[in-house]
Amino acid sequence: MRIKKAIAAAGAASVLMLGLAACASDTTGGSGGEGGGGGGKAVTIGIKFDQPGVGFKEGSTYTGFDVDVANYVAKELGYTDVTFKEAKSADRETLIESGQVDMIFASYTINEERQQKVSFAGPYLVAGQDLLVRSDDSSITGPESLNGKKLCSVTGSTSAQNVKKDFAGKVQLQNYDSYSKCLPAVLSGNIDALTTDDDILAGYAAQPQYKGKLKVVGKPFTEEPYGVGIKKGDTALCKKIDTAITKMIDSGDWKKALDKNFGDANYTPDASKNPPKPIACS
């Protein structure tokens, strides 16, 4: 009886060890590990869900320029199973720091404040901050004309705060938790303008329900280099992402993705800055 019990215990231990080994194998691709990412099966990528042309979720389908760049990079890094997770502006650093995502492609401008918490690869696009207003509103011609006006401010984004600080100290900031919720307010007149990057605004204005009713002012007043957010200090992963982005640009696939996602919006990024040269790795 003791012999049988010993054999059974040994067998159970073997099954347990095999199970643990299998689990370890399944997770090697998720976070990139210490070796800088790639070569695994699964990866979780943060994107926006409510920015047509940039990052947009409809049912179980994900579209947009950020999505196309993310899929290209993931494939180049050897990932075969990509899971997209919503990355709202206010949540992006937390998602990276907590390990809920491995990379973020979410109209994520590289700046010094964010670099204190996360690292960036890229940039893969240089956009510019602009204004979205009603098509019949001729009173707003740029950020300086916003004094006394109501401007949509989105939690976690610095766009509206920058307007108040640098251009129109008397602008009234109205807080919302996403850009998509600002759009009906602009259309109804409860908000006078929405500000964020020009590619995002162009995507909104091109939506069927807003076409002809909303317009982009067309005078960008900042430079917004979009980076790929990753865990702080992961330079190995950063370099691999930069290599993949460079390959996408050189192959012509970057331009194809741009035309595919912004053709209907008549949006063309500043040719003097695009396509950019990925140099972040910081």
Side-chain angles (χ1 to χ4, degrees):
M1 179 66 76
R2 290 180 181 175
I3 294 174
K4 288 183 179 179
K5 287 183 178 180
I7 292 173
S14 297
V15 170
L16 178 61
M17 291 302 292
L18 286 171
L20 291 173
C23 289
S25 175
D26 287 343
T27 59
T28 54
S31 64
E34 295 179 358
K41 293 180 180 180
V43 64
T44 301
I45 297 177
I47 62 169
K48 291 294 179 66
F49 278 10
D50 65 343
Q51 294 179 348
V54 180
F56 191 67
K57 180 184 180 184
E58 188 170 18
S60 59
T61 302
Y62 303 92
T63 58
F65 183 72
D66 282 1
V67 175
D68 288 345
V69 177
N71 277 324
Y72 188 100
V73 169
K75 184 177 179 181
E76 286 297 309
L77 268 59
Y79 294 112
T80 56
D81 180 11
V82 177
T83 297
F84 288 117
K85 184 179 181 67
E86 184 173 20
K88 292 183 179 180
S89 295
D91 300 333
R92 290 177 295 200
E93 286 83 29
T94 300
L95 289 171
I96 294 171
E97 291 177 318
S98 64
Q100 295 181 61
V101 299
D102 304 298
M103 298 179 275
I104 286 184
F105 294 74
S107 52
Y108 203 5
T109 298
I110 302 169
N111 63 36
E112 291 183 2
E113 182 179 352
R114 290 167 178 161
Q115 286 174 319
Q116 301 303 311
K117 298 181 178 180
V118 302
S119 288
F120 285 98
Y124 59 89
L125 179 73
V126 180
Q129 189 176 342
D130 210 323
L131 301 169
L132 185 74
V133 300
R134 292 182 300 281
S135 294
D136 60 359
D137 188 346
S138 59
S139 67
I140 299 176
T141 57
E144 298 88 351
S145 61
L146 288 171
N147 278 312
K149 303 283 189 180
K150 294 179 180 178
L151 179 66
C152 178
S153 178
V154 174
T155 306
S157 174
T158 58
S159 298
Q161 287 82 358
N162 288 341
V163 169
K164 186 177 181 69
K165 181 181 70 173
D166 299 329
F167 299 99
K170 295 181 180 180
V171 67
Q172 301 174 39
L173 303 185
Q174 307 292 309
N175 292 313
Y176 289 78
D177 63 5
S178 68
Y179 293 115
S180 59
K181 291 183 180 178
C182 296
L183 298 170
V186 174
L187 195 59
S188 68
N190 290 327
I191 296 291
D192 296 299
L194 162 62
T195 186
T196 187
D197 304 342
D198 51 4
D199 59 326
I200 299 171
L201 298 178
Y204 286 141
Q207 290 295 99
Q209 67 269 40
Y210 301 119
K211 199 165 186 178
K213 299 176 182 178
L214 299 176
K215 67 179 180 180
V216 181
V217 171
K219 295 181 179 178
F221 48 91
T222 67
E223 189 172 303
E224 308 294 334
Y226 286 1
V228 183
I230 57 176
K231 191 170 287 291
K232 181 70 176 176
D234 196 344
T235 55
L237 177 57
C238 180
K239 290 176 181 178
K240 289 183 179 182
I241 295 172
D242 276 0
T243 298
I245 292 171
T246 300
K247 182 177 179 180
M248 186 179 187
I249 291 170
D250 292 345
S251 68
D253 288 327
W254 181 90
K255 181 63 163 59
K256 290 178 183 177
L258 195 73
D259 294 342
K260 166 190 165 187
N261 290 290
F262 296 115
D264 291 341
N266 296 316
Y267 170 73
T268 303
D270 189 335
S272 68
K273 303 179 180 70
N274 289 281
K277 183 178 180 180
I279 56 172
C281 284
S282 59

